[in-house]
RNA sequence: CGGGGAGUGGCGCAGCUUGGUAGCGCGCCUGCUUUGGGAGCAGGAGGCCGGGGGUUCAAGUCCCCCCUCCCCGACCA
């Protein structure tokens, strides 16, 4: 296969496109791999599509290797299955909906759990049919509030989604591990550095769940990683491992006047000025205070109730993290009107002692594990301008539940080994999780087991964002001057540049060289454009990012061809008679 | 959905404050020259100035409404 640039449908841009910010977006547009066609929708041009297909093929090969079978659903789906699982409403505005000429509802599939479940239900009914894993590579649609960063977050994108169907948890475990293993092979082959982190199954209603993240500054996911052991988790899924403190000999709790101290900062100032005698060693700090944040929780039945979250005063509450743990409850802001309805909650002075389902207020109270049993706190007195000191967890108040609620910080202890955690950002490129029986139950997917009894099938769900992976690889591998594709997914193996003009000896030698490379099984880009200056050809070759650039130019007179490795910049001057073998051996991995 | 920025030939931008009938660079076309790091000269083509309404003798420029894009936040496998 040879691309002759004189006729390839390609136009590179000298300037960065104004609407692109992140490197992958900027370079993929500038190098002529993609064009924006719609908000959050991109056209793949020939070279871009070549990359896309190579990624797809690697995914396909590894899925087939674990025995998964490829199918293909429509992108436009009926409403009913999504009604049955409640996702027609749960998905909310993120679902693209449309009606046919008779006014019947359809949707553009954001993901296909329902359809796969129904397909298996349609054809299988015995335990003997299981296990089975099916997958597709499909265009998915999500009406993202804010598409951004080119291919990284579009409203139309390509995803490989697979689903495993097993009779029991043991089977699911095996299917899950098979997919996990396949994903490791896929991302290894793609040449993409990645981290596997534990994640919350959250809204999808499963249990074990892990994400594959490509480490990347512009990534949208934040994850922690231990500096010592190999613990890694999405920030939402980090578990604290705080040990309870032995109950100390704290004096009885007492009320103090704290005028004008509705905020933690003001309170700490006031304590240091007026209650220095009672201060712990080193004086009062925010870490000695217990901050109580009120939110509303929305229950699946549509009702709302207040919830108070208690965290140390020097920490912020991470609502996403709380929400993930309380799922399917959703967190909403607590408004002025809500305060009016709950007069026991005194804004700025909410105290722990009246909180908890079994306490005076009856309001549900969850605590971050940092507020451990036996620790002593300064907290609100539930009265304007007053606080309570020496309020001891477990003695003076009891939470309904411990929930990891604080924003995770770099330097927090690792739950596995206690060493410092680091925080980094990544792009979610793959996700494996054990769905369990949620969809099978909702859609009544059952088989008969060995004893002739019906069993609900248990499922796993596994996704790879194929189009996103292309961008993630561009992010991970580019440099200042352009793209820099790993050998396995580059649209061509070698980019042949000549400074010769159409028809002259140099040009003919270059053409012969390119043709020979092609006949040796390489995919070749041959810059045969006429009247384009060498400078432009070199810049374009670097921008396009093939792993090897071969130059037939001034060194040709002395019998040499220049062979450059794009990534390392290493340049070899190779005698003409050896050049083909040199390029082939570099392209095949030395 | 909230905050900020921006929409002007294919691309990147100026013009808007102070209204007077659209300009620069790149790219594109023709010719000549040039050919190892985004060439030179000459001559061209190409624009309902995001859309709609208004003010005015006159609107890219002023006013109102809408749409779109980018960034931050919210949301989101």
């Amino acid at each position: 296969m040879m691309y002759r640039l004189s006729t390839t449908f390609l136009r590179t841009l000298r300037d960065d496109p104004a609407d692109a910010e992140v490197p992958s977006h900027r370079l993929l547009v500038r190098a002529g791999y993609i064009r924006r066609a719609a908000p959050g929708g991109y056209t793949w041009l020939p070279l871009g599509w070549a990359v896309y297909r190579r990624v797809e093929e690697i995914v396909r090969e590894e899925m087939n290797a674990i025995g998964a079978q490829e199918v293909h659903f429509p992108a436009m789906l009926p409403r009913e299955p999504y009604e049955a699982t409640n996702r027609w409403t749960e998905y909310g505005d993120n679902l693209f909906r449309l009606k046919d000429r008779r006014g019947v509802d359809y949707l553009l599939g954001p993901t296909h759990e329902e359809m796969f479940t129904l397909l298996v239900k349609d054809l299988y009914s015995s335990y003997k049919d299981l296990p089975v894993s099916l997958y597709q590579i499909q265009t998915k649609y999500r009406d993202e509030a804010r598409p951004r960063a080119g291919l990284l977050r579009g409203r139309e994108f390509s995803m490989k989604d697979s689903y495993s169907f097993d009779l029991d948890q043991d089977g699911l475990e095996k299917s899950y591990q098979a997919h996990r293993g396949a994903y490791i092979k896929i991302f290894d082959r793609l040449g993409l550095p990645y981290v596997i982190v534990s994640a919350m199954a959250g809204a999808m209603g499963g249990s074990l769940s892990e994400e594959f993240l490509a480490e990347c500054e512009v990534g949208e996911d934040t994850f922690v990683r231990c500096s010592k052991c190999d613990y890694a988790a999405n920030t939402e899924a980090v578990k604290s491992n705080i040990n309870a403190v032995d109950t100390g000999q704290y004096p009885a709790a007492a009320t103090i006047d704290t005028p004008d101290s509705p905020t933690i900062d003001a309170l700490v100032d006031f304590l240091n000025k007026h209650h220095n005698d009672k201060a712990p060693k080193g004086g009062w700090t925010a870490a000695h205070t217990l901050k109580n944040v009120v939110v509303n929780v929305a229950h699946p039945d549509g009702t709302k109730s207040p919830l108070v979250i208690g965290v140390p005063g020097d920490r912020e509450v991470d609502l996403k993290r709380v929400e993930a743990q309380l799922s399917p409850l959703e967190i909403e802001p607590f408004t002025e009107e809500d305060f009016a309805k709950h007069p026991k909650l005194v804004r700025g002075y909410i105290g722990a002692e009246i909180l908890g389902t079994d306490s005076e207020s009856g309001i549900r109270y969850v605590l971050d594990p940092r507020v451990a049993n036996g620790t002593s706190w300064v907290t609100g007195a539930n009265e304007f301008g007053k606080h309570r000191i020496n309020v001891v967890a477990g003695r003076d108040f009891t939470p309904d539940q411990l929930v990891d609620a604080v924003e995770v910080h770099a330097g927090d202890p690792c739950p596995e080994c206690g060493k410092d955690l680091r925080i980094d950002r990544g792009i979610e490129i793959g996700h494996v999780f054990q769905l369990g029986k949620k969809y099978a139950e909702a859609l009544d997917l059952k088989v008969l087991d060995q004893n002739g009894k019906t069993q609900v099938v248990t499922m796993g769900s596994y996704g790879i964002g194929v189009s996103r992976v292309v961008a993630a690889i561009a992010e991970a591998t580019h440099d200042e001057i352009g793209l820099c594709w790993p050998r396995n997914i580059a649209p061509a193996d070698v980019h042949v540049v000549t400074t010769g003009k159409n028809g002259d000896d140099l040009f003919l030698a270059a053409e012969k060289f390119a043709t020979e490379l092609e006949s040796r099984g390489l995919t070749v880009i041959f810059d045969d454009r006429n009247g384009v200056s060498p400078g432009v050809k070199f810049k374009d070759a670097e921008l396009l990012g093939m792993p090897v650039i071969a130059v037939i130019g001034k060194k040709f007179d002395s019998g040499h061809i220049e062979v450059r490795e794009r990534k390392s910049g290493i340049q070899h001057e190779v005698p003409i008679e050896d050049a083909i073998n040199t390029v082939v051996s570099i392209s095949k991995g030395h």
Side-chain angles (χ1 to χ4, degrees), chain A residues 38 117 185 188 215-216 233 268 314 318 330-331 337 362 400 414 419 444 455 478 510 529:
Chain A
T117 308
K185 285 188 182 151
D188 284 347
E215 224 185 314
C216 177
V268 171
D314 60 338
D318 183 339
E330 286 177 21
I331 290 180
E337 297 92 81
D400 292 301
C414 167
K419 297 290 186 219
D444 200 33
Q455 295 280 347
H478 78 277
R529 292 176 297 177

Side-chain angles (χ1 to χ4, degrees), chain A residues 264-265 268 272 283-291 311-315 377-378:
Chain A
I264 296 291
D265 284 350
V268 171
N272 280 320
W284 294 104
T285 67
H288 300 116
T289 68
L290 171 56
K291 176 160 69 180
V311 300
D314 60 338
R315 290 300 193 118
W377 302 87
V378 180

Side-chain angles (χ1 to χ4, degrees), chain A residues 71-145:
Chain A
V71 297
H72 198 79
F73 284 90
M76 185 178 75
L77 305 170
R79 169 177 173 165
E80 289 71 26
Y82 287 77
E83 244 351 313
T85 56
N86 208 28
R87 291 212 296 182
W88 176 261
T89 41
E90 257 177 26
Y91 236 100
D93 289 339
N94 265 2
L95 194 62
F96 272 109
R97 298 151 207 270
L98 62 158
K99 289 182 190 293
D100 71 5
R101 61 172 76 202
R102 283 177 299 213
V104 179
D105 284 313
Y106 287 85
L107 60 101
L108 298 178
T111 170
H112 283 68
E113 280 79 2
E114 286 82 352
M115 303 310 292
F116 275 88
T117 308
L118 288 172
L119 182 66
V120 172
K121 179 183 172 183
D122 192 19
L123 296 175
Y124 276 9
S125 50
S126 160
Y127 74 95
K128 293 177 191 166
D129 296 323
L130 302 182
V132 65
S133 285
L134 301 175
Y135 75 98
Q136 67 172 344
I137 297 175
Q138 243 294 3
T139 307
K140 306 288 185 179
Y141 297 86
R142 293 184 195 171
D143 190 355
E144 296 285 350

Side-chain angles (χ1 to χ4, degrees), chain A residues 5 12 30 36 56 69 114 159 201 210 219 228 232 287 290 313 329 357 364 478 499 548 570 572 579-580:
Chain A
L5 284 193
T12 58
R30 196 149 91 80
R36 197 186 81 93
E56 218 185 55
Q69 300 171 64
E114 286 82 352
M159 179 160 104
E210 291 167 287
K228 184 87 181 298
L290 171 56
L329 303 185
T357 314
R364 191 169 173 206
H478 78 277
T499 56
V548 178
I570 293 171
H572 316 268
I580 295 282

Side-chain angles (χ1 to χ4, degrees), chain A residues 159-426:
Chain A
M159 179 160 104
K160 187 288 298 178
D161 52 329
S162 38
Y163 305 86
S164 64
F165 299 86
D166 283 279
L167 191 62
D168 53 27
Q169 183 61 29
D170 278 356
L172 171 55
E173 203 68 51
K174 288 196 187 85
S175 297
Y176 180 91
Q177 290 304 333
H179 274 87
R180 191 179 189 276
Y183 278 28
I184 288 170
K185 285 188 182 151
I186 288 167
F187 294 124
D188 284 347
R189 283 180 68 184
L190 290 172
L192 181 60
Y194 62 93
V195 188
I196 303 175
V197 307
S198 40
M200 296 298 296
M204 301 300 286
S207 45
L208 183 57
S209 168
E210 291 167 287
E211 287 172 358
F212 289 70
L213 300 180
E215 224 185 314
C216 177
E217 283 175 10
V218 302
E220 293 182 298
D221 285 83
T222 310
F223 69 100
V224 301
R225 199 169 11 177
C226 181
S227 52
K228 184 87 181 298
C229 72
D230 48 15
Y231 178 81
N234 193 301
T235 46
E236 286 171 27
V238 181
K239 297 208 174 41
S240 310
N241 192 2
I242 312 283
N243 294 322
V245 179
D246 205 14
T247 310
Q249 302 303 311
Y250 296 108
T255 305
I256 54 172
D257 285 319
T258 53
D260 300 323
S261 306
T263 66
I264 296 291
D265 284 350
L267 174 63
V268 171
D269 272 359
F270 184 89
L271 289 172
N272 280 320
K273 272 188 196 128
H274 302 280
H275 294 278
N276 219 350
D277 52 323
K278 305 185 194 69
K281 267 176 277 174
W284 294 104
T285 67
H288 300 116
T289 68
L290 171 56
K291 176 160 69 180
N292 293 302
V293 177
V294 203
V295 295
N296 263 321
V297 292
H299 301 261
D301 63 7
T303 59
K304 290 179 190 179
S305 61
L307 168 74
V308 178
I309 305 161
V311 300
D314 60 338
R315 290 300 193 118
E316 294 304 318
V317 175
D318 183 339
L319 291 177
K320 274 169 102 170
R321 208 177 160 199
V322 175
E323 193 166 38
Q325 292 168 87
L326 299 182
S327 173
L329 303 185
E330 286 177 21
I331 290 180
E332 293 177 3
F334 202 73
T335 63
E336 289 294 343
E337 297 92 81
D338 294 319
F339 272 108
K341 274 185 242 165
H342 297 278
K344 287 203 188 300
L345 297 174
V346 183
R347 189 176 226 172
Y349 300 91
I350 298 171
E353 291 159 292
I354 60 154
L355 297 170
T357 314
D358 297 330
S359 71
E360 190 185 329
S361 69
I363 291 173
R364 191 169 173 206
Y365 190 36
V366 300
L367 276 182
D368 187 88
R370 283 168 176 73
V371 187
N373 257 347
T375 51
S376 171
W377 302 87
V378 180
T379 184
N382 300 300
E383 205 177 323
F384 191 79
K386 291 182 196 300
H387 277 84
R388 300 267 287 167
I389 62 171
N390 297 318
V391 177
V392 176
R395 182 186 77 181
D396 301 318
F397 64 95
T398 320
D400 292 301
Q401 189 183 348
L402 290 182
V403 167
D404 284 303
V406 302
E407 273 181 10
V408 179
H409 290 179
D412 280 354
C414 167
E416 298 287 336
C417 74
K419 297 290 186 219
D420 290 359
L421 290 178
R422 286 159 43 199
I423 298 199
D424 286 297
R425 296 177 75 82

